[in-house]
Amino acid sequence: MDNANRPARRLRCAIYTRKSSEEGLEQEFNSLHAQREACEAYIASQKSEGWALVRDQYDDGGISGGTFERPGLKQLLADIEDGLVDVVVVYKIDRLSRSLMDFSKLVEVFDRNGVTFVSVTQSFNNTTSMGRLTLNILLSFAQFERKVTAERIRDKVKASRMKGMWMGGYVPLGYDVRYRKLVVNERDACSVRRIFDRFVEVGSATVLARELRRDGFRSKQGTLIDKGYLYRLLNNRVYRGEALHKGKAYPGEHDAIIDADLWERVHAILQESPRKRANKSRAQTPALLKGLIFGENGAAMTPTSTKKGGKLYRYYVCMDVIRNRETAEETAPMRLAAGMVEDAVVTEVRRILQTPEVVTQVLAALKRGSGGTSEADAIAALHEFTTLWSQLFPAEQARIIQLLVRRVTVTAAGLEVDIRREGIAGVVRELVAPRRLEAAE
């Protein structure tokens, strides 16, 4: 057969389209459609060369070209590796990638699988050295344009913040957003002032957080606040009428909620010897197992502590050691780190509380009582013991353990925890109380 009349080899062509933002994608004819239409027309013009469009569509709407995390691109690369594509057609090079480094990786995939890359609006041939140079120049400009655009956005945000303008994002408690500006919400602002005033009175975020949770006080998102949220609120310079950018404060367009005097008093407390306040808090922490923990020989283990380098270390030590009493050869530990043994006991208590036998006993006890605790709340409290436990303060945790644990025995093999099963139902009622508070609107 004459070469002139021999049909061209069929080349399977895949069209890839992308749009960085989601704006306009809901339209009947959007940017992705326009790109695809131009690419289809180009493929049709090459029909005599054997070009044929594949059925699959590879589209990524609302995804930046600076990342490989694009479903359409991932599927295209997978099909290329499977030998299903011969030509990749795009409207512009930067639709495939705006990063020169990323594009070099794509070119490696194309070359390894014998795939040709075509840009409809930018004519070049990537199989020649001049074509590759042209491609690299075009990609360099695309990457430069992307970085310049990002710099312009950052500069605009900085300039706006320096003028005190609100640039969106998290809206602090005490403010609402109207016409893209922060406006004081007087009702919430009163709550913010009350928190600042009360912190000056009690001088402790832990105590204040506990009070606010008991009062059912909620954040702007509707959740009960914790100590972390309280610290963020007390350190938020927006309440001083300031706008922040990268840690630097500028006079804001919005009104202040907290005056300078109250702000200074609060931060004088926050900045005054934080380590000393933390040590004082640890010193006030009751020993969780006081009166409950014993050695294998029946001797009580008493809580002791020592300071080293300003840090407090707590232990449980056998009374035989403290009083220098002679004992038979012991294999069980006579001295244990308090934190380690307390965590082990709490873990064992949690395990026991979640056993089917204990759950059944608790539900039966609650049914006989008149506390009004539902089975669903009781089961949830038992299975979420860790979360509820973390919400209790040390004194409350110690009281709960006294109600739940009869005795802890330290043996050579480990710890033996004897649970007061008759007290579990009462403890569950107490644990359910904060759950009801959190569920209240």
Side-chain angles (χ1 to χ4, degrees):
M1 181 183 291
D2 186 19
N3 289 338
N5 297 324
R6 184 178 298 166
R9 183 174 72 89
R10 183 175 180 273
L11 298 175
R12 296 160 296 179
C13 302
I15 297 174
Y16 178 77
T17 64
R18 183 186 62 79
K19 188 177 186 298
S20 296
S21 67
E22 296 182 355
E23 183 180 358
L25 289 179
E26 73 284 353
Q27 297 175 1
E28 185 175 350
F29 187 80
N30 56 44
S31 174
L32 298 182
H33 296 139
Q35 293 176 48
R36 174 165 288 278
E37 187 176 87
C39 292
E40 288 177 349
Y42 186 85
I43 293 173
S45 70
Q46 302 296 315
K47 186 176 183 180
S48 61
E49 301 296 326
W51 288 31
L53 178 64
V54 299
R55 293 182 179 180
D56 293 329
Q57 295 188 8
Y58 308 94
D59 305 317
D60 285 316
I63 303 178
S64 168
T67 175
F68 270 5
E69 295 302 315
R70 290 176 266 164
L73 179 61
K74 286 184 175 180
Q75 185 59 52
L76 174 61
L77 295 177
D79 288 351
I80 288 175
E81 295 287 3
D82 291 339
L84 303 178
V85 175
D86 299 309
V87 182
V88 174
V89 182
V90 297
Y91 183 71
K92 290 178 65 176
I93 296 174
D94 63 2
R95 296 302 87 192
L96 195 59
S97 176
R98 283 179 174 266
S99 168
L100 187 59
M101 183 176 296
D102 288 347
F103 196 87
S104 65
K105 297 177 182 178
L106 294 175
V107 171
E108 289 180 6
V109 176
F110 295 163
D111 289 346
R112 186 171 65 250
N113 293 276
V115 172
T116 303
F117 172 70
V118 174
S119 170
V120 171
T121 59
Q122 297 155 318
S123 179
F124 63 87
N125 185 347
N126 72 332
T127 60
T128 66
S129 58
M130 182 59 69
R132 287 183 179 274
L133 175 61
T134 304
L135 175 62
N136 288 338
I137 292 173
L138 291 172
L139 278 172
S140 295
F141 275 103
Q143 185 170 343
F144 172 75
E145 180 185 3
R146 177 170 174 261
K147 290 184 176 180
V148 167
T149 301
E151 289 175 0
R152 286 174 180 169
I153 293 173
R154 287 194 295 268
D155 290 343
K156 180 180 179 181
V157 171
K158 180 181 179 180
S160 300
R161 297 301 282 171
M162 290 177 68
K163 291 182 178 180
M165 297 173 62
W166 171 251
M167 295 302 293
Y170 168 74
V171 182
L173 180 69
Y175 291 97
D176 293 326
V177 176
R178 294 177 189 169
Y179 306 107
R180 301 180 66 178
K181 292 186 177 181
L182 288 180
V183 180
V184 175
N185 180 319
E186 281 302 332
R187 186 185 67 179
D188 290 345
C190 289
S191 298
V192 172
R193 295 187 191 100
R194 179 166 65 89
I195 290 174
F196 274 77
D197 287 330
R198 184 59 180 157
F199 181 77
V200 172
E201 294 174 2
V202 301
S204 169
T206 300
V207 173
L208 181 54
R210 177 183 181 182
E211 289 183 2
L212 293 173
R213 289 183 68 85
R214 285 184 172 177
D215 292 342
F217 187 86
R218 293 179 177 273
S219 69
K220 200 174 184 71
Q221 288 71 38
T223 58
L224 288 171
I225 71 170
D226 55 17
K227 188 167 64 174
Y229 176 89
L230 190 58
Y231 275 123
R232 291 192 296 274
L233 185 146
L234 294 172
N235 283 288
N236 193 341
R237 299 194 68 88
V238 170
Y239 295 124
R240 286 287 296 116
E242 297 175 348
L244 288 178
H245 180 71
K246 295 188 179 299
K248 190 171 182 179
Y250 303 93
E253 288 185 333
H254 61 281
D255 295 329
I257 290 178
I258 304 300
D259 60 46
D261 178 63
L262 180 56
W263 179 269
E264 293 299 332
R265 283 188 289 158
V266 165
H267 282 261
I269 296 173
L270 289 173
Q271 295 171 9
E272 180 186 8
S273 303
R275 181 177 297 179
K276 181 178 179 181
R277 290 193 292 122
N279 288 339
K280 185 184 296 184
S281 175
R282 292 191 195 101
Q284 295 172 348
T285 301
L288 203 63
L289 304 177
K290 185 177 181 180
L292 298 177
I293 185 167
F294 297 86
E296 198 169 19
N297 62 355
M301 299 187 74
T302 188
T304 63
S305 62
T306 182
K307 281 188 176 181
K308 184 177 181 180
K311 188 173 182 180
L312 184 70
Y313 295 89
R314 298 188 303 115
Y315 302 93
Y316 288 99
V317 181
C318 182
M319 289 299 297
D320 289 339
V321 174
I322 293 176
R323 296 181 179 177
N324 295 318
R325 291 195 294 236
E326 292 187 5
T327 60
E329 183 178 349
E330 297 287 345
T331 56
M334 305 291 282
R335 179 188 181 95
L336 292 170
M340 178 192 69
V341 69
E342 288 170 356
D343 289 345
V345 170
V346 172
T347 299
E348 179 63 11
V349 168
R350 181 178 69 244
R351 185 194 67 79
I352 293 174
L353 291 182
Q354 294 176 357
T355 58
E357 179 186 359
V358 169
V359 172
T360 302
Q361 291 178 355
V362 170
L363 294 180
L366 292 175
K367 190 175 295 184
R368 291 194 300 269
S370 56
T373 302
S374 69
E375 288 190 3
D377 284 342
I379 293 174
L382 290 170
H383 285 281
E384 298 175 16
F385 178 79
T386 301
T387 301
L388 298 174
W389 177 264
S390 66
Q391 296 172 0
L392 300 176
F393 288 86
E396 294 173 325
Q397 291 178 344
R399 185 175 61 83
I400 293 295
I401 286 296
Q402 293 289 332
L403 293 173
L404 286 176
V405 178
R406 179 177 288 107
R407 184 184 179 98
V408 176
T409 304
V410 179
T411 70
L415 299 176
E416 295 179 357
V417 181
D418 184 12
I419 294 290
R420 296 180 186 271
R421 302 206 172 198
E422 67 277 6
I424 297 178
V427 170
V428 168
R429 290 191 184 96
E430 293 191 27
L431 293 177
V432 167
R435 285 178 55 83
R436 288 176 176 168
L437 180 62
E438 191 165 344
E441 294 294 339

